[in-house]
Amino acid sequence: MNLNFASDNVGPAAPEILAALVEANSASAMPYGKDPFTTRAQDMIRDTFEAPEASVHLISTGSAANALALAALANPWDAIFCHHEAHIEVDECGAAQFYSGGAKLRRVPGANGKITPDTLGAALAEIPPQNVHSVQRGPVSLTQLTELGTAYSRAELSDLTAMAKDAGLKVHLDGARFANAVAAAGCSPADMTWRLGVDALSFGGTKNGCLGVEAVVFFDPEHAWELSLRRKRAGHLWSKGRFLGAQIAAYLEDGLWLSLAGAANARMAELCAGLADLPEAKIVAEPAGNLVFLTLPKPVHDRAFSAGAAYYSYDTDPEGAPDRPVRARIVCDWSKTSADVAGLLALWRG
Amino acid sequence: MNLNFASDNVGPAAPEILAALVEANSASAMPYGKDPFTTRAQDMIRDTFEAPEASVHLISTGSAANALALAALANPWDAIFCHHEAHIEVDECGAAQFYSGGAKLRRVPGANGKITPDTLGAALAEIPPQNVHSVQRGPVSLTQLTELGTAYSRAELSDLTAMAKDAGLKVHLDGARFANAVAAAGCSPADMTWRLGVDALSFGGTKNGCLGVEAVVFFDPEHAWELSLRRKRAGHLWSKGRFLGAQIAAYLEDGLWLSLAGAANARMAELCAGLADLPEAKIVAEPAGNLVFLTLPKPVHDRAFSAGAAYYSYDTDPEGAPDRPVRARIVCDWSKTSADVAGLLALWRG
Amino acid sequence: MNLNFASDNVGPAAPEILAALVEANSASAMPYGKDPFTTRAQDMIRDTFEAPEASVHLISTGSAANALALAALANPWDAIFCHHEAHIEVDECGAAQFYSGGAKLRRVPGANGKITPDTLGAALAEIPPQNVHSVQRGPVSLTQLTELGTAYSRAELSDLTAMAKDAGLKVHLDGARFANAVAAAGCSPADMTWRLGVDALSFGGTKNGCLGVEAVVFFDPEHAWELSLRRKRAGHLWSKGRFLGAQIAAYLEDGLWLSLAGAANARMAELCAGLADLPEAKIVAEPAGNLVFLTLPKPVHDRAFSAGAAYYSYDTDPEGAPDRPVRARIVCDWSKTSADVAGLLALWRG
Amino acid sequence: MNLNFASDNVGPAAPEILAALVEANSASAMPYGKDPFTTRAQDMIRDTFEAPEASVHLISTGSAANALALAALANPWDAIFCHHEAHIEVDECGAAQFYSGGAKLRRVPGANGKITPDTLGAALAEIPPQNVHSVQRGPVSLTQLTELGTAYSRAELSDLTAMAKDAGLKVHLDGARFANAVAAAGCSPADMTWRLGVDALSFGGTKNGCLGVEAVVFFDPEHAWELSLRRKRAGHLWSKGRFLGAQIAAYLEDGLWLSLAGAANARMAELCAGLADLPEAKIVAEPAGNLVFLTLPKPVHDRAFSAGAAYYSYDTDPEGAPDRPVRARIVCDWSKTSADVAGLLALWRG
């Protein structure tokens, strides 16, 4: 039984993806993305997104994908608008600042990990156009699934992108868990991106069964060459690019990416259902995919940890009462089984 | 028969390394380098280099390894001294400038891809200390094997590092083909690095049988935390770090890295021996490892290409005589066989 | 009558300072700060601050002084803690980000333009040490006078610097209106800076009667050479440096800087006293020096503007009632007379 | 007698310019360039250059003017082509790298301080377009007068700008001594800039009788807002901008700038004429304006220095013979008199 629910990243790569890697190793290939695996991966992404003109750049980490995309969309003197809990703000050690040459991140509040038209409007209002003393309005970066495990509805996304467009701003989507969002929504990838006004997507693979690969997708190819140069300059152009290409090709083949995400989402649904008879566990925000934040009484949490469970937990009041609530983040990666979930629930139930 | 001699990077990963990747995939592991594969890889590098204090950071490309190391050694207002044909100067799209915040590369000339005490001395003399108008003297970056396929002798390295130390400067070694250099020299890794005064090494894996992994090795650990932050900020900290760690561990296990490099070097020796009866092919600089530059009469070159051979070639005088010399770069990766080499020679011989 | 209360910067240079400029022009002098005027200015600053070891760098704008100081104190991957209304956050177009290579500004709230131990503590707590995923804790930047025209008491400053020191952080003071603060407090410059734990000061001159000069003062000289290089690299080392030096020397001669600031402060006191019989004008925060924010009924404000008064105003509710309050920022520069102040009051009174 | 020939910068400001500064101080003015002095200066530059659309940004140093202009013309991944002795390469501590976010300077050789079509062509050929591994071709920066005191003829400039345009590259002109070049050529400012294909000019004032002011002139205004933001972000937007504007307005009024430069050039001509009977002094490159490099026997040089003369000298062989040649740079600023020049010549003659 696998009781490590710490992150999507703790799980293994999917067998199909590993097999593709082995297959890609069977012959020589030209370096630096001039190989058939990369070409095929790019074509499959364009097909998957119904975006034949899109520029697609493979890269090995999500932080690099986000920072690269934002650097192409933001001037060094711009503010990038993002949720105050966004990965780019909280968890990337300033990568967007580094890549963009010093752009600011403007933290936009909002419940359940989501920016709202009100909070985005207020943030925009703080930076009136044409004021030389201030940083300038730059792109809006949204996250889908959010860092809290919730999802924007398409209507919510559309409202935000419309507001950005009205202000003449570009929209980036951090899609580290985009597969989980699409699997949950049951819509097409295009319906959750460019048809809603998203200009650039960080399309995640690593968290969902790849070893380490993401794609930066720009639906308008105008930045294609710039992105190639920025990626190279950041040391992110792989010499043996076939190993990135092979992963993405296998990931998209026959909808594997959605199957993997669907499995992870289903496990999370089982976990939440199982919480019904554990009333002292409280869900912080209703999960849309494979990630949830809970509060658990400390003894419940401690019991699970003593028995070998793993997940990120935050004891927000170390001096508090013995049965104080502990905040826990639970993530089901694609490989978790119903038995694993049941096992975790059983530990909590005691 | 494999006639693609374009780069070390065209070859496959070694089976042992691929097997280690598959093995690393068999269980969950904590992310971001907090996994046993990474720890083991770091320990093995420290052992291999007899450097128990060294800080070791795994990273997926050589350009990133070089740029990361140089950013830690150079101030933004420094000049980095390197050979005018160095990879960091010619082939990394300004990565060192990006990572360092704008340091200059000062091109130092020298025959056969090598800086000499004379040329380094002249370059140093151009930047007198304590002149606020000029950029300042920064680290010296050497390359071993050089970009021309030659090697510095240990005495040559020692002379250059001594000159750097006398000027109070740090020394970086770009070791994308360090394995080939050590295999050729038959010395210990320590004898070619810190014992000679090298402060930081980009230790290559990708070119020599890995899928995509390098290590930044600082023999003095003072920059360890800074390197961790710089790597993260550049989007180069892998979430599934075990896949980098597993490669390096397998690479160093039982001296695999030297076996692979030794095989590649041996193939190059066979190729050069085979040129004995092809006098119209001229070796530009005697190769020390697995890479050589040749000039070939154009018809000889054309014959090989028509028959499917691949390598980088430069027709420096497209308007010239039909039998003008073409410059060719030939690289034997670890997987090339004696039959492959013989096959290429046969095509040239016609 | 001069009714332009828009900024300290609208006023002229003091005659003594202009005279010093003319005097400095009477002979040749070596360039780039190797002139006696610069040396004298540096010495006088060291004397004024009882800081014989301090490094002193003259520079022509306050934004550059702040950004230069912060770049020397912050790593590119650091967060700089500052009030959310600080000049460096709101009014410098990201200069600190540019100079530092991408450091973040972390906005710390607080009433009356002032950070408090509570709000600073909360901001620090958001960035636990040794977390590679986050930006790191960097320097604390305080502003004295604050942007709201208030002043930190020395006890308040001491509490904040102590908290910074406990966390191992450096403290920068944006002293664009430092003269006004010292004149108001009646303490020594040292008592408001290094004796309280301030490491670096942007010492303002431009707002207080100079043409354009500030000094970056580091009480510990360890960054002196770095500051010289950063200043040069930013194009802020003047070739005819004597014209900066002459201004500062005249500014400090016989306490001119405090006389000028004292005059400006006195005019503000007169203005506030005069508001006693204008009850519809409300002071937002009790001014400590020469700057105040008020709210005025729109008709009152409009009357003054129609008659030629000038100051920055913000109609926060353009659709509101005709007599809605308008926010106004009033600044007395050193040259304002009691008659000017009376003139403005008269216009408001109608 | 004034024997300080070290730099244009050692001289005083012209009385007309100082008077304008005093005059600009007589009343209040709105800050940050919203003053009539700045507007007038911008208009006068547009008139002077017959360029009614040009964007004009005042700034206090030449290094900042160059770096600002180049940052707007170059991507961070570009190479800027400049003479190997250009001020931006040798004397600005990497300012262009800092402002551009890491662009390279590519050193182009050439006799007498001048790039030639041959050397520029060779430098361009080293960077073939569309190679992702290399930095990309960026702007060409020329210097007029050159650092050696020579001038490009208009035909020479035209050949170089044509070559740049053919390659799709922009052209920047470092005009720290542009006035001296125009005064010497007797052509119109437009004839030496945009009519020849120059896109951006650093128009110098400081070296030629101002206290500290330059103008960045872009003949196509497309970068105007970007330049405003870059200038602000670099801390180079003056709050009391009238003091920059007033200098430039006085500088251009009634052709003062050309009178001052003409005077300086005339003194240099006198100096060179006076060398006729000092055959042991050798002119390195025939001066076109107010600056010359000479070699002088060391005893001749020593005699002048002992008697109080000042200029930059380089003893290239400190171990050499007692009468070895010393390299000397002599600059006549606008204020030097014929008597000063005669005085220096007399000291050399002994």
Side-chain angles (χ1 to χ4, degrees):
Chain A
M1 198 152 56
N2 184 338
L3 294 171
N4 187 340
F5 289 81
S7 170
D8 329 62
N9 294 318
V10 302
E16 295 90 338
I17 291 169
L18 203 57
L21 212 66
V22 174
E23 161 73 18
N25 197 45
S26 64
S28 288
M30 290 304 277
Y32 298 112
K34 309 255 181 228
D35 64 87
F37 303 92
T38 297
T39 303
R40 179 143 182 270
Q42 291 170 320
D43 287 344
M44 289 177 77
I45 285 182
R46 291 188 194 103
D47 285 353
T48 300
F49 282 88
E50 305 168 61
E53 303 296 324
S55 79
V56 176
H57 290 82
L58 305 188
I59 201 161
S60 61
T61 76
S63 292
N66 286 336
L68 189 63
L70 290 168
L73 295 176
N75 291 307
W77 47 83
D78 283 348
I80 297 164
F81 298 91
C82 66
H83 192 270
H84 69 95
E85 296 171 303
H87 204 264
I88 58 171
E89 165 65 13
V90 174
D91 278 323
E92 301 185 357
C93 197
Q97 276 93 341
F98 174 47
Y99 275 71
S100 67
K104 273 196 185 185
L105 300 194
R106 185 58 61 119
R107 303 165 98 187
V108 184
N112 296 331
K114 294 198 260 183
I115 291 175
T116 68
D118 279 356
T119 60
L120 180 57
L124 289 169
E126 275 194 28
I127 305 183
Q130 293 297 107
N131 170 13
V132 80
H133 302 287
S134 167
V135 291
Q136 305 298 299
R137 295 172 172 184
V140 176
S141 179
L142 304 171
T143 309
Q144 180 82 319
L145 302 186
T146 72
E147 292 300 312
L148 247 73
T150 58
Y152 290 98
S153 71
R154 277 188 286 156
E156 288 172 332
L157 282 177
S158 180
D159 287 351
L160 294 169
T161 58
M163 184 173 267
K165 301 286 144 158
D166 282 351
L169 308 179
K170 299 285 189 182
V171 178
H172 165 254
L173 195 67
D174 177 353
R177 293 187 184 93
F178 184 75
N180 302 87
V182 170
C187 68
S188 77
D191 282 346
M192 202 178 271
T193 51
W194 61 266
R195 286 207 186 101
L196 297 179
V198 170
D199 297 289
L201 170 70
S202 300
F203 177 64
T206 312
K207 281 182 158 56
N208 189 36
C210 296
L211 294 92
V213 67
E214 317 274 313
V216 180
V217 183
F218 272 61
F219 298 105
D220 180 326
E222 68 168 311
H223 290 290
W225 181 235
E226 175 188 345
L227 285 164
S228 292
L229 292 166
R230 286 188 182 274
R231 181 180 56 175
K232 171 70 190 180
R233 182 170 172 81
H236 276 292
L237 175 62
W238 271 41
S239 56
K240 294 183 173 172
R242 68 196 111 144
F243 295 123
L244 298 181
Q247 288 182 68
I248 285 288
Y251 185 58
L252 294 177
E253 183 83 34
D254 294 331
L256 175 64
W257 66 299
L258 292 174
S259 306
L260 296 170
N265 290 358
R267 295 300 84 70
M268 179 51 64
E270 291 169 14
L271 185 131
C272 289
L275 292 174
D277 59 0
L278 193 70
E280 58 276 44
K282 294 190 197 327
I283 289 176
V284 172
E286 204 60 42
N290 66 325
L291 178 156
V292 73
F293 280 84
L294 306 173
T295 58
L296 293 164
K298 191 161 188 309
V300 170
H301 163 74
D302 287 349
R303 183 166 57 228
F305 258 51
S306 315
Y311 47 82
Y312 288 111
S313 62
Y314 315 83
D315 186 352
T316 49
D317 182 17
E319 315 282 291
D323 63 345
R324 65 188 178 273
V326 165
R327 192 174 167 98
R329 191 189 80 154
I330 313 298
V331 191
C332 295
D333 73 85
W334 71 272
S335 74
K336 288 294 176 298
T337 64
S338 299
D340 295 335
V341 170
L344 178 63
L345 287 166
L347 290 180
W348 281 339
R349 284 189 202 113
Chain B
M1 197 153 56
N2 184 337
L3 293 171
N4 187 338
F5 289 82
S7 171
D8 329 63
N9 294 318
V10 303
E16 295 88 340
I17 290 170
L18 203 57
L21 212 66
V22 174
E23 162 72 16
N25 197 45
S26 65
S28 288
M30 291 304 278
Y32 297 113
K34 309 249 181 234
D35 64 87
F37 302 93
T38 298
T39 304
R40 180 144 182 269
Q42 292 170 320
D43 287 344
M44 290 178 76
I45 285 182
R46 291 188 194 101
D47 284 353
T48 300
F49 282 87
E50 305 167 61
E53 303 296 324
S55 79
V56 176
H57 290 82
L58 306 187
I59 202 160
S60 61
T61 76
S63 292
N66 287 337
L68 189 62
L70 290 168
L73 295 177
N75 291 306
W77 47 83
D78 283 348
I80 297 164
F81 298 91
C82 66
H83 192 270
H84 70 94
E85 295 172 303
H87 204 263
I88 59 170
E89 164 67 13
V90 173
D91 277 322
E92 301 185 358
C93 196
Q97 277 93 342
F98 175 46
Y99 275 71
S100 67
K104 274 196 183 183
L105 299 194
R106 185 56 63 119
R107 305 166 98 185
V108 183
N112 297 331
K114 295 198 259 183
I115 291 174
T116 68
D118 279 356
T119 60
L120 179 58
L124 288 170
E126 276 194 27
I127 306 183
Q130 293 298 106
N131 170 14
V132 80
H133 301 287
S134 167
V135 292
Q136 305 298 298
R137 294 172 171 184
V140 176
S141 179
L142 304 172
T143 309
Q144 179 81 319
L145 303 184
T146 72
E147 292 299 311
L148 247 74
T150 57
Y152 290 99
S153 71
R154 278 189 286 156
E156 287 171 332
L157 283 178
S158 180
D159 287 349
L160 294 170
T161 59
M163 183 174 267
K165 301 287 144 159
D166 283 351
L169 308 179
K170 299 284 189 182
V171 177
H172 165 254
L173 194 67
D174 177 354
R177 295 188 183 91
F178 184 75
N180 302 88
V182 170
C187 68
S188 77
D191 282 345
M192 202 178 271
T193 53
W194 61 267
R195 285 206 186 102
L196 297 179
V198 170
D199 297 288
L201 170 70
S202 300
F203 177 64
T206 312
K207 281 182 157 57
N208 188 37
C210 295
L211 293 92
V213 67
E214 317 275 314
V216 180
V217 183
F218 272 61
F219 297 103
D220 180 326
E222 69 166 313
H223 289 291
W225 180 235
E226 175 188 346
L227 285 165
S228 291
L229 292 166
R230 287 189 182 273
R231 180 180 58 175
K232 170 71 190 180
R233 182 171 173 82
H236 276 292
L237 176 61
W238 271 41
S239 57
K240 295 183 174 171
R242 67 196 110 144
F243 296 122
L244 298 182
Q247 289 182 68
I248 286 288
Y251 184 57
L252 294 178
E253 183 84 35
D254 293 332
L256 175 64
W257 67 298
L258 293 174
S259 308
L260 295 170
N265 291 357
R267 295 299 87 68
M268 179 52 66
E270 291 168 14
L271 186 130
C272 289
L275 292 174
D277 59 0
L278 193 70
E280 57 275 46
K282 294 190 195 331
I283 290 176
V284 172
E286 204 60 41
N290 66 325
L291 179 157
V292 72
F293 280 84
L294 305 173
T295 57
L296 293 165
K298 191 162 188 306
V300 170
H301 164 74
D302 287 348
R303 182 166 58 227
F305 258 51
S306 315
Y311 47 81
Y312 288 111
S313 62
Y314 315 82
D315 185 352
T316 48
D317 182 16
E319 317 281 292
D323 63 345
R324 65 189 177 272
V326 165
R327 190 174 167 97
R329 190 189 82 155
I330 313 297
V331 191
C332 295
D333 72 85
W334 70 272
S335 75
K336 289 294 178 296
T337 63
S338 298
D340 295 334
V341 170
L344 178 62
L345 287 166
L347 290 180
W348 282 338
R349 284 188 202 114
Chain C
M1 198 151 59
N2 185 337
L3 293 170
N4 187 339
F5 289 82
S7 170
D8 329 61
N9 294 318
V10 303
E16 295 89 340
I17 291 169
L18 203 56
L21 212 66
V22 173
E23 161 72 19
N25 196 46
S26 64
S28 288
M30 289 305 277
Y32 298 113
K34 309 253 182 229
D35 64 87
F37 303 92
T38 297
T39 303
R40 182 147 180 266
Q42 291 170 320
D43 287 344
M44 289 178 78
I45 285 182
R46 291 187 193 104
D47 284 353
T48 300
F49 282 88
E50 304 167 60
E53 303 297 325
S55 79
V56 176
H57 290 81
L58 306 187
I59 202 160
S60 62
T61 77
S63 293
N66 287 336
L68 189 62
L70 290 168
L73 294 176
N75 291 306
W77 47 83
D78 283 349
I80 297 163
F81 298 91
C82 66
H83 192 271
H84 68 95
E85 295 172 303
H87 203 265
I88 58 171
E89 164 65 14
V90 173
D91 278 323
E92 300 185 356
C93 196
Q97 278 92 342
F98 175 46
Y99 275 70
S100 66
K104 274 196 184 184
L105 299 195
R106 185 58 60 120
R107 302 165 100 187
V108 183
N112 297 331
K114 294 197 260 183
I115 291 175
T116 69
D118 280 356
T119 60
L120 180 57
L124 288 170
E126 276 194 27
I127 305 183
Q130 293 297 107
N131 170 14
V132 80
H133 301 287
S134 167
V135 292
Q136 306 297 300
R137 294 171 172 186
V140 176
S141 179
L142 304 171
T143 309
Q144 180 81 322
L145 300 188
T146 72
E147 291 300 311
L148 247 73
T150 57
Y152 290 98
S153 71
R154 277 189 285 156
E156 288 172 333
L157 282 178
S158 181
D159 287 349
L160 293 169
T161 58
M163 183 174 267
K165 301 285 142 158
D166 283 351
L169 309 178
K170 299 284 188 182
V171 177
H172 164 254
L173 194 68
D174 177 354
R177 293 186 184 93
F178 184 75
N180 302 88
V182 170
C187 67
S188 78
D191 282 346
M192 201 179 270
T193 53
W194 61 267
R195 287 208 185 100
L196 297 179
V198 170
D199 298 289
L201 170 70
S202 300
F203 177 65
T206 312
K207 281 182 158 56
N208 189 36
C210 295
L211 294 92
V213 67
E214 317 274 314
V216 180
V217 183
F218 272 60
F219 298 104
D220 181 326
E222 69 168 310
H223 290 290
W225 180 235
E226 174 188 346
L227 285 165
S228 292
L229 292 166
R230 287 188 182 273
R231 180 179 59 175
K232 171 70 190 181
R233 181 170 172 82
H236 276 292
L237 176 62
W238 272 40
S239 56
K240 293 182 173 173
R242 67 196 112 145
F243 295 123
L244 299 182
Q247 289 182 69
I248 286 288
Y251 184 59
L252 294 177
E253 183 84 32
D254 293 332
L256 176 63
W257 67 297
L258 293 174
S259 307
L260 295 170
N265 290 358
R267 295 300 85 70
M268 178 52 64
E270 292 168 14
L271 185 130
C272 290
L275 293 173
D277 59 359
L278 193 70
E280 57 275 46
K282 295 190 197 327
I283 290 176
V284 172
E286 205 60 41
N290 66 324
L291 179 156
V292 74
F293 280 83
L294 305 173
T295 58
L296 293 165
K298 189 160 189 308
V300 170
H301 163 74
D302 288 348
R303 183 167 57 229
F305 258 51
S306 316
Y311 47 81
Y312 288 110
S313 63
Y314 316 82
D315 184 352
T316 51
D317 182 17
E319 315 282 293
D323 64 345
R324 65 187 179 273
V326 166
R327 190 176 168 97
R329 190 187 81 154
I330 314 297
V331 191
C332 295
D333 72 86
W334 70 273
S335 75
K336 290 294 177 298
T337 63
S338 299
D340 295 334
V341 170
L344 177 62
L345 287 165
L347 290 179
W348 282 340
R349 285 190 201 113
Chain D
M1 198 152 58
N2 184 339
L3 293 170
N4 187 339
F5 289 81
S7 170
D8 329 61
N9 295 317
V10 303
E16 296 89 340
I17 290 170
L18 203 57
L21 211 67
V22 173
E23 161 73 17
N25 197 46
S26 64
S28 287
M30 291 304 279
Y32 298 113
K34 309 254 180 228
D35 63 88
F37 303 92
T38 298
T39 303
R40 180 146 182 267
Q42 291 170 320
D43 287 344
M44 289 177 77
I45 285 181
R46 290 187 194 103
D47 284 353
T48 301
F49 282 87
E50 305 167 61
E53 304 296 324
S55 79
V56 176
H57 290 82
L58 306 187
I59 202 160
S60 61
T61 76
S63 292
N66 286 336
L68 189 63
L70 290 168
L73 294 176
N75 291 305
W77 48 84
D78 283 349
I80 297 163
F81 298 91
C82 66
H83 192 270
H84 70 95
E85 294 171 304
H87 204 264
I88 58 171
E89 164 66 13
V90 173
D91 277 323
E92 301 185 357
C93 196
Q97 277 92 342
F98 174 47
Y99 275 70
S100 66
K104 274 195 185 184
L105 299 194
R106 184 58 62 121
R107 304 166 98 185
V108 183
N112 297 330
K114 295 197 260 182
I115 291 175
T116 69
D118 279 355
T119 59
L120 179 57
L124 288 169
E126 276 194 27
I127 305 184
Q130 294 296 107
N131 170 13
V132 80
H133 301 287
S134 168
V135 291
Q136 305 298 300
R137 294 171 172 185
V140 176
S141 180
L142 304 171
T143 309
Q144 179 80 321
L145 302 184
T146 71
E147 293 299 311
L148 247 73
T150 57
Y152 289 99
S153 71
R154 278 189 285 155
E156 287 171 333
L157 283 177
S158 181
D159 286 349
L160 294 169
T161 59
M163 183 173 266
K165 301 287 144 157
D166 283 351
L169 308 179
K170 299 284 188 182
V171 177
H172 165 254
L173 194 67
D174 177 353
R177 293 188 184 91
F178 183 75
N180 303 87
V182 170
C187 67
S188 77
D191 282 345
M192 201 178 272
T193 53
W194 62 266
R195 287 207 185 102
L196 296 180
V198 170
D199 297 288
L201 170 69
S202 300
F203 178 63
T206 312
K207 281 182 158 56
N208 187 37
C210 295
L211 294 91
V213 66
E214 317 275 313
V216 180
V217 183
F218 272 61
F219 297 104
D220 180 327
E222 68 167 314
H223 290 290
W225 180 235
E226 173 187 347
L227 285 165
S228 291
L229 292 166
R230 287 188 182 274
R231 180 181 57 176
K232 171 70 190 179
R233 181 171 173 81
H236 276 292
L237 176 62
W238 271 40
S239 56
K240 294 183 173 171
R242 69 196 110 146
F243 296 123
L244 298 181
Q247 289 181 68
I248 286 288
Y251 184 59
L252 294 177
E253 184 82 35
D254 293 333
L256 176 63
W257 67 298
L258 292 174
S259 307
L260 296 170
N265 291 357
R267 294 300 84 69
M268 178 53 64
E270 292 169 14
L271 185 130
C272 290
L275 293 173
D277 59 1
L278 193 70
E280 58 275 45
K282 297 193 193 326
I283 290 176
V284 172
E286 203 60 42
N290 67 324
L291 179 156
V292 72
F293 279 83
L294 305 174
T295 57
L296 293 164
K298 190 161 189 308
V300 169
H301 163 74
D302 288 348
R303 182 166 58 228
F305 259 51
S306 317
Y311 47 81
Y312 289 112
S313 62
Y314 315 83
D315 185 351
T316 48
D317 181 18
E319 317 282 292
D323 64 344
R324 65 189 177 272
V326 165
R327 190 174 168 99
R329 190 188 80 154
I330 313 298
V331 191
C332 295
D333 73 85
W334 70 271
S335 74
K336 289 294 178 296
T337 63
S338 298
D340 295 334
V341 170
L344 177 62
L345 287 165
L347 290 180
W348 284 337
R349 284 187 203 115

